[in-house]
Amino acid sequence: MTEAQLKDLLQAYKAGQVDLDTVMGHLKTLKEEDLGFAKVDHHRALRNGFPEVIFGQGKTKEHVAAIASRLAAAGSTVLVTRTTREVYQEVAARLPAAEFNELARTIVVAAGEIRPTGGRVAVLSAGTADLPVAEEAAVTAAVMGNEVERIYDVGVAGIHRLLGRVDLVRRADVVIVVAGMEGALASVVAGLVDRPVIAVPTSIGYGASFGGLAALLTMLNSCAAGIGVVNIDNGFGAAALATAITRLKKV
Amino acid sequence: MTEAQLKDLLQAYKAGQVDLDTVMGHLKTLKEEDLGFAKVDHHRALRNGFPEVIFGQGKTKEHVAAIASRLAAAGSTVLVTRTTREVYQEVAARLPAAEFNELARTIVVAAGEIRPTGGRVAVLSAGTADLPVAEEAAVTAAVMGNEVERIYDVGVAGIHRLLGRVDLVRRADVVIVVAGMEGALASVVAGLVDRPVIAVPTSIGYGASFGGLAALLTMLNSCAAGIGVVNIDNGFGAAALATAITRLKKV
Amino acid sequence: MTEAQLKDLLQAYKAGQVDLDTVMGHLKTLKEEDLGFAKVDHHRALRNGFPEVIFGQGKTKEHVAAIASRLAAAGSTVLVTRTTREVYQEVAARLPAAEFNELARTIVVAAGEIRPTGGRVAVLSAGTADLPVAEEAAVTAAVMGNEVERIYDVGVAGIHRLLGRVDLVRRADVVIVVAGMEGALASVVAGLVDRPVIAVPTSIGYGASFGGLAALLTMLNSCAAGIGVVNIDNGFGAAALATAITRLKKV
Amino acid sequence: MTEAQLKDLLQAYKAGQVDLDTVMGHLKTLKEEDLGFAKVDHHRALRNGFPEVIFGQGKTKEHVAAIASRLAAAGSTVLVTRTTREVYQEVAARLPAAEFNELARTIVVAAGEIRPTGGRVAVLSAGTADLPVAEEAAVTAAVMGNEVERIYDVGVAGIHRLLGRVDLVRRADVVIVVAGMEGALASVVAGLVDRPVIAVPTSIGYGASFGGLAALLTMLNSCAAGIGVVNIDNGFGAAALATAITRLKKV
Amino acid sequence: MTEAQLKDLLQAYKAGQVDLDTVMGHLKTLKEEDLGFAKVDHHRALRNGFPEVIFGQGKTKEHVAAIASRLAAAGSTVLVTRTTREVYQEVAARLPAAEFNELARTIVVAAGEIRPTGGRVAVLSAGTADLPVAEEAAVTAAVMGNEVERIYDVGVAGIHRLLGRVDLVRRADVVIVVAGMEGALASVVAGLVDRPVIAVPTSIGYGASFGGLAALLTMLNSCAAGIGVVNIDNGFGAAALATAITRLKKV
Amino acid sequence: MTEAQLKDLLQAYKAGQVDLDTVMGHLKTLKEEDLGFAKVDHHRALRNGFPEVIFGQGKTKEHVAAIASRLAAAGSTVLVTRTTREVYQEVAARLPAAEFNELARTIVVAAGEIRPTGGRVAVLSAGTADLPVAEEAAVTAAVMGNEVERIYDVGVAGIHRLLGRVDLVRRADVVIVVAGMEGALASVVAGLVDRPVIAVPTSIGYGASFGGLAALLTMLNSCAAGIGVVNIDNGFGAAALATAITRLKKV
Amino acid sequence: MTEAQLKDLLQAYKAGQVDLDTVMGHLKTLKEEDLGFAKVDHHRALRNGFPEVIFGQGKTKEHVAAIASRLAAAGSTVLVTRTTREVYQEVAARLPAAEFNELARTIVVAAGEIRPTGGRVAVLSAGTADLPVAEEAAVTAAVMGNEVERIYDVGVAGIHRLLGRVDLVRRADVVIVVAGMEGALASVVAGLVDRPVIAVPTSIGYGASFGGLAALLTMLNSCAAGIGVVNIDNGFGAAALATAITRLKKV
Amino acid sequence: MTEAQLKDLLQAYKAGQVDLDTVMGHLKTLKEEDLGFAKVDHHRALRNGFPEVIFGQGKTKEHVAAIASRLAAAGSTVLVTRTTREVYQEVAARLPAAEFNELARTIVVAAGEIRPTGGRVAVLSAGTADLPVAEEAAVTAAVMGNEVERIYDVGVAGIHRLLGRVDLVRRADVVIVVAGMEGALASVVAGLVDRPVIAVPTSIGYGASFGGLAALLTMLNSCAAGIGVVNIDNGFGAAALATAITRLKKV
């Protein structure tokens, strides 16, 4: 039942064409989405200014380009994650404004305006091999309206590198820590700052890293409080959570 | 080198009793904690108004009571987690203001003032067996200055129970979702709200729940964005992260 | 001992050529398959009208085509699962009636009549990446005589999409739920319907999905009753179980 | 908003006291449970004649007895699973009709009428140590209205014991197979019957059984089609699924 | 110290050129292999008539051909396992007697005589996909002097196929059971025969088979006695163990 | 159909009271156990002289004593494994000949004659903590008719202890190796002897031994050929397999 | 063959009573331990001055006391690990010099002289709950002749505590790092010092620590070089390895 | 604050331009790296004479060549691990002194002088397939200034091969043991020598080796004391730890 149909029903009821029980009967069988869906949509509308995101992995280049074109035409800024240069070329052929970040494996099409969150997100990475995931987080956080500070290659085996940047880290509202191998960076950072820390284990490593499991367990077991963990290699998810947090500054 | 000794050195330098190189030499060998520790302490002092926390598991009742007394004497509100009634009786003998929450397994001694964060934290639980962890989160969040809304027994097998409270959930700044067994609640909630969601897997379940592993993996693999996961049964950690987030509202 | 030999033995006994003990001795050494196999065959004969199934993975195209030809010649409808377009071309060269479903990775050769079960099977999928497994289930269920309703892309992170189709789901006799990543859809569905739910975890995901383990554990630990789980990515198995269930309607 | 309030609103609208937009506004904010819950309830009402189930594990005897009394007073037959003789005594003090099954660890209070499903459920167990789980399944299936056939101690290491009862197994509409250790019974049974097979791994075993993991994996990897697996030791869940299936016979 | 040097020493001692303590001193410092190695060699010599085995995986074709040539020249029959047609061609270029078994992935060069063990080894496989491992076992057992009976495609999902061959199985001295997926065949066989059963899990399967782990656990947890398990896909190892057993018949 | 009934049928057929088709029809419906079971029984009868075994774990003392009494009354020697002194006292009250081995946790009632296998079984253990499992194997092997040689405390960390007993080990027909912690003893032994080696991992250890998993994996991955592995702590199973092997000497 | 027998043989040979071949034959059959064992013993003798160690877990108090008495009587200092006060009382009744360390769960009987290694071992622990393992390491290192520096409660969540003691850490020859939960301390320490670091994961933690697995994986995957890892909770093993290292200073 | 700024501040203080509190305030906010970093650098300078190491995996050939050139230009000897011939050719084009070790997968550019440690490192490998890891360890140990003894192919399945080289092993200061499959060699070696043993599990194996997990667990659970374990396949790490140990000889 659409909103229009619902109005018709109520007007027919008022006009005496249907009785109260009939109206009640119809209302009881209203499917949740009839109203709820609209409510959710409206709710989504409130988020205007945020980009639409396409998870690129497993999609053909034609598929990604088609979706991106449709979203951009509707005035949305578009972010494609886990993508390749080949896909980018397909997208750019249709949307010349598309920009490719090879390290982050992202495409951004700045078609709509991004509402600034007013928040600052620091993205830390332990090693250079963690950079693709860190950049995915950084690009996502930026395109979602955050000011982003990249603080890379500050792994715990050379703790002075991190300590030398503590003030920079402390200036952030939210800190994303990206680390593979033993993943110990998150604990050290959370001990140094009072801000929420989002930990992203990466699959970087070999042998007993078991595809990122070691880093994941390290982060979950941190003796420092204030850490939330996302899935292995999920730079996008970390930035999405960070944005959900920084948006609170304007609530 | 204490602060007093440092002052003496500088005064001796000014008085010409030691030369610049000697002072520089001493400064270079300053151990990090001489100044750094103070800096951290100062930093911690800024957090005044937050309670001190004692992890009760594995500590004797005498030990807990002694630490609690010392902290309360210093004017801090004290929170003891993972504790028992027996420990509470020992604490209450010294600190009559102590209050025990049997379900949450916490003791709170309201010795100091708590600085309100101005934030609202919703704590959702999937089943009644998850309540001890949910209550640990709720008590911690409250004692750390948050307004807390408990929304319990809204597991996904009866999705209408959750849907009927969505507006209540949406009023929160941060949502803590506590769920054992299959842990699916976090995904559903994160799909319904735009706020940061902190997911706490619990060890509730049997068989293939493998002590909470099933719920943990579910939460890490959520297809919904905006979820940060903490360790199994770590209600305290979830509330600490939530507080780190809500404090941002006053930054 | 063949049936003919058995008859000969009995006639020789009747004719007094062998005595009772000899007959008893022979009967005691009858191998199970002499009679049992026939019994099983007879039993299988009762299932006439159902297609023969070839598990395509690991078989050469010549091998699949040869088996398919033989089965089709015998009047059976043939279903090949986990196959490729290349194999299809080999099969189609011999059996022009062969149809290929690229998404489901199936070939169907409608050589015999399919006995309708009279049952309706709904196949739900959480995400678009789960479609190959969902389609394998849907194609299998259809070729086995069920009426199939596809309800795709109703993952729990957008719960309104599922809620908007609940009536459609409830019209089914059996519900197959296909989901990767966190696999939470099965629990929600089982909480909404009274019908048997067959849950198929998929290997879709990355990081801590561990090849479908996360979704598998989620489904096994469901707090909703009425769920049976099959192996990761086993769309065929889910449909076979569904058919074993819908056939009961005519028992 | 209650149903009464909703009626009032509609009558006020008809009386011209409130306008259409106001009514529409109220309807859009209707919380799902206001109507939806009733709908679910109504849906549940359709199931009248089925017992209410209390998961006994982790609940105090007073708690179980209180819930059981309330349900029985409402005319429901009550089933308590994973319970003890001590709890039974508490329940029996209030509900003399309560019956305790020590092996199955269940209490049944026959307070209401059970609607027969018309279905037959065979419960097979591999070893004597699997009996508690098998009995939980059998008692649950019986109290839910099924005719139950117990076929115990037919593990695959003595395959003739199973073969000797094949006809009995084949007479069932649904077959529940309960097996620990290597859990191979489910595959053999599914190869012998055309009916849906529900496999229940048990935690019986030691060493490399890893608490039932071995049996669980065996059942999930079965080369026989038509098997749905439930959680380790989940006899209740198997029977609930079986009942969802046998009920289809009357659909 | 070589055997010649040892003789010299002893002769010098006899000739009075060195005293007893010197001889004792030398003997005490004798490295184990000086004599021990010879002893082991001698021991190995007792095994004359058995082939030398080359584990082909990870070795270049030139490497395999070189080793095979050297062994064949020394009069040994040579067995190469886990090899390819390409390697075979290299070997055959030097040793025309070489025979390749594509399914078993073995090369056999019958350069020496094989001493018969007098034992009969039955090799059973559950499915056709298990054949490469089963054939590796069968070829190895044959080349090591056993009479081999292949009984293939007797998986438990069609138990009558196995039952129809029980007498054939029972005629063997040792039974090798090769099975992937759920690996249940070993338990059933061990329940039917009194002979030693060697179980070989294979990596055949998908999803929750976890590369053969499911079959491995099944076999280790068998409720039937008399089963020894070897590594996943280790057909060679099973045959080597079988041969160690059948050789006992001549002890 | 009993044997008597079968005879009646055949005689009626001979007498012309029933025709051939009727007899054939009856024979086709013969349940497997009617003849098959007898065949199996007969087969078991051939094993006369071997003891009956009661798996004591999880059985009450009354239960064990009752079974033991019945078996002993039938003239069987009885072996109870995984039992306790308390159970022994119950058994001994009825069967004064019962003997308890505290270390092996076994009870033996020598009620019947044991047929010697003529085989020698060596039982090696790595450490003193492995003795209960080693003794379970030794007692079982002895009561099943083998000559048993115990060679204990020969773990690889002191390799000379093993090397000093190599000749003793080599005199055995079958070697059982019992080892926990890293379980390396099996590989070393299999490299020193040509006999079949049965490896029994034990749950002895802590930390990363994961309840015997480490030793189990070690044994399965042995680079030495001729090793069959049984479940963790399964001393009984090792001895049963050893006996299946030594019995071949008389085949 | 004993040394005396060997001498007799050689003298008989010299006397012409046996020929060279006979002597060679005897020498070839010399069992390894005849000479090798002595060699090992001699080797062990070189270690005089080090204590004998009794692994207390799983041994009765009488057993421990008996062994300790025998060793002390032979002039050895004795160390008992993983023991209890109850065992201590039994030991002290016989050996009044025995000292019990409740935290370390060790007994030391200073019966012999300990040879100093001349090395300094620092033992660091992350949290107070790790102290039992850290103390086991410290007591063992001390009793084995090392100078021990305890640096406790320097977990990475408060990195300044560690940094304030870096100079102390750097003065050690070997650093033992004891840490549970996420185990990150080892990486940070190894990045700060050039000395060998021995990492001891502990089973301290809950949830996803999986009994120390998380800390173990962290330490194995360290991005810092120079770390050797021992088993979970193996404080003794760490100290034994440290002593093997510090002894090199006198080589 | 730079060192120059700090001097300025102190001089201004002496000149009375700033007061003591101001100086103290500045000192308290000194960032750790201002002095600490220099200290660490100085510390690193002390290590002059050791090579710089480039982890080659995942780096482009241009990247490796550029880093290597820069380091060599600064007078450092350079070691590249986990590299390929292709990368070598790129490096050699710039640095003709570069040497490639195909087996070890290393490049060494002898640009600077290596300070000998005076230590001897024995590298043992169990099988030929372990050689790449063993060679990585050997090359690393040599380039770091150790005398290296390679003792290869001494796996425990042929224990005499190891025993024949025990004296050679015992001459080393540190023993590196490289072993895949069951990894038992480390335990045997540690039982034979008093030196520190560094165990390197390799990923060599198949089936239940689970990528080196089996060997890793074996080494961690060793019953022999004095073993430190590094990550799977981490030959470099073992050599780095060995060097940290041998350097102590000159401390």
Side-chain angles (χ1 to χ4, degrees), chain G:
Chain G
M1 182 182 279
T2 64
E3 191 164 334
Q5 291 173 318
L6 181 54
K7 282 191 178 172
D8 288 347
L9 175 67
L10 289 171
Q11 286 166 334
Y13 161 63
K14 189 172 187 178
Q17 294 159 348
V18 298
D19 62 12
L20 181 57
D21 282 355
T22 302
V23 175
M24 287 302 287
H26 276 284
L27 290 180
K28 283 185 182 173
T29 64
L30 271 178
K31 291 203 296 297
E32 130 82 24
E33 81 272 35
D34 291 343
L35 300 177
F37 192 86
K39 185 166 53 176
V40 170
D41 264 356
H42 177 64
H43 182 73
R44 294 222 154 157
L46 290 176
R47 299 197 303 200
N48 264 343
F50 286 93
E52 295 282 340
V53 183
I54 303 169
F55 185 73
Q57 188 174 301
K59 294 200 177 69
T60 63
K61 61 183 179 182
E62 291 80 11
H63 198 187
V64 171
I67 304 175
S69 298
R70 187 151 42 81
L71 293 171
S76 291
T77 284
V78 180
L79 168 66
V80 188
T81 62
R82 302 205 168 208
T83 191
T84 62
R85 177 171 292 280
E86 196 187 358
V87 173
Y88 161 69
Q89 286 161 345
E90 184 79 16
V91 173
R94 304 194 195 187
L95 301 165
E99 291 179 18
F100 183 56
N101 182 323
E102 185 131 32
L103 189 54
R105 296 164 305 159
T106 54
I107 303 168
V108 174
V109 189
E113 198 181 351
I114 298 298
R115 190 183 62 167
T117 64
R120 279 165 301 186
V121 176
V123 180
L124 282 70
S125 81
T128 53
D130 300 316
L131 285 190
V133 177
E135 272 297 299
E136 183 184 289
V139 167
T140 301
V143 85
M144 283 184 165
N146 299 286
E147 188 182 330
V148 175
E149 181 77 45
R150 287 163 172 87
I151 304 173
Y152 288 168
D153 205 17
V154 290
V156 299
I159 196 72
H160 58 280
R161 291 174 300 188
L162 172 63
L163 295 174
R165 318 260 197 106
V166 164
D167 287 353
L168 201 55
V169 178
R170 285 185 179 146
R171 276 202 288 274
D173 293 308
V174 183
V175 182
I176 293 174
V177 176
V178 179
M181 300 185 77
E182 85 271 58
L185 184 59
S187 289
V188 176
V189 169
L192 289 170
V193 304
D194 277 348
R195 296 290 180 246
V197 172
I198 303 172
V200 191
T202 74
S203 55
I204 295 303
Y206 61 90
S209 83
F210 296 123
L213 177 63
L216 172 63
L217 292 182
T218 300
M219 289 166 169
L220 286 168
N221 283 286
S222 177
C223 49
I227 301 179
V229 184
V230 299
N231 196 2
I232 297 163
D233 290 337
N234 192 3
F236 165 75
L241 175 54
T243 305
I245 294 172
T246 54
R247 266 189 238 150
L248 286 176
K249 298 187 73 166
K250 297 205 169 167
V251 173

Side-chain angles (χ1 to χ4, degrees), chain H residues 29-217:
Chain H
T29 65
L30 270 178
K31 291 203 296 297
E32 129 83 23
E33 81 271 35
D34 291 343
L35 300 177
F37 192 88
K39 184 164 56 175
V40 170
D41 264 357
H42 178 63
H43 183 71
R44 292 222 157 157
L46 289 175
R47 298 195 304 198
N48 265 341
F50 285 93
E52 296 282 339
V53 182
I54 303 170
F55 185 72
Q57 188 174 300
K59 292 200 178 71
T60 65
K61 60 183 179 182
E62 293 78 12
H63 198 187
V64 171
I67 306 176
S69 297
R70 188 152 41 80
L71 292 171
S76 291
T77 283
V78 179
L79 169 66
V80 189
T81 62
R82 301 205 169 207
T83 190
T84 64
R85 177 171 291 278
E86 196 187 357
V87 173
Y88 161 68
Q89 285 161 346
E90 184 81 15
V91 172
R94 304 194 195 190
L95 301 166
E99 290 180 19
F100 183 56
N101 182 323
E102 184 131 33
L103 190 54
R105 296 165 304 158
T106 54
I107 302 168
V108 174
V109 189
E113 203 182 347
I114 297 298
R115 192 182 61 168
T117 64
R120 280 167 301 187
V121 176
V123 180
L124 281 70
S125 81
T128 53
D130 301 316
L131 284 189
V133 178
E135 272 297 299
E136 183 184 288
V139 167
T140 301
V143 86
M144 283 184 166
N146 299 286
E147 189 181 330
V148 175
E149 182 76 47
R150 286 164 172 87
I151 305 173
Y152 288 168
D153 205 18
V154 290
V156 299
I159 196 73
H160 59 280
R161 291 174 300 187
L162 173 63
L163 295 174
R165 319 260 198 104
V166 163
D167 287 354
L168 202 56
V169 178
R170 285 185 179 146
R171 277 202 286 273
D173 293 307
V174 182
V175 182
I176 293 174
V177 176
V178 180
M181 299 184 78
E182 85 271 57
L185 184 58
S187 290
V188 177
V189 169
L192 289 170
V193 304
D194 277 347
R195 296 291 179 248
V197 172
I198 303 172
V200 191
T202 75
S203 54
I204 295 303
Y206 61 90
S209 83
F210 297 123
L213 177 64
L216 172 63
L217 293 182

